[in-house]
């Protein structure tokens, strides 16, 4: 089962960026600790693995909602 985070409001991108950075740091610390300890969060449920140009990357499962035009370059031009 995957988890999708919903980010609503004017500061959703700002708060979400900090949240995802903390999750990324926690995942890296758990990975460096090895398999001896089981983490509190299963990061594979929060992130989606995607391969681009032969390199594996992890992307957050998130949906960000804000006012029309507030996201600027994220919204495709018409």
């Amino acid at each position: 089962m995957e988890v999708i985070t919903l980010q609503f409001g004017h500061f959703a991108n700002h708060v979400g960026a900090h949240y995802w950075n903390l999750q990324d740091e926690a995942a890296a610390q758990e990975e460096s600790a090895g398999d001896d300890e089981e983490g509190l969060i299963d990061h594979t449920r929060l992130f989606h693995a995607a391969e681009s140009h032969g390199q594996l990357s992890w992307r957050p499962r998130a949906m960000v909602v804000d006012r029309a035009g507030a996201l600027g370059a994220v919204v495709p031009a018409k």
Side-chain angles (χ1 to χ4, degrees):
M1 176 172 80
E2 293 85 14
V3 175
I4 298 174
T5 61
L6 304 175
Q7 297 171 208
F8 293 95
H10 186 65
F11 292 102
N13 190 32
H14 177 76
V15 173
H18 288 289
Y19 173 78
W20 289 111
N21 286 336
L22 287 171
Q23 293 304 318
D24 186 43
E25 185 177 327
Q29 287 178 354
E30 287 178 12
E31 185 177 304
S32 66
D35 294 333
D36 297 342
E37 298 180 23
E38 184 176 322
L40 296 175
I41 297 174
D42 184 359
H43 296 283
T44 60
R45 295 182 187 266
L46 288 173
F47 290 89
H48 168 71
E51 189 171 336
S52 178
H53 304 291
Q55 186 175 13
L56 184 65
S57 64
W58 291 88
R59 299 181 182 150
R61 297 179 191 272
M63 185 169 96
V64 180
V65 179
D66 206 340
R67 296 181 314 229
L71 295 175
V74 176
V75 180
K78 293 183 180 180

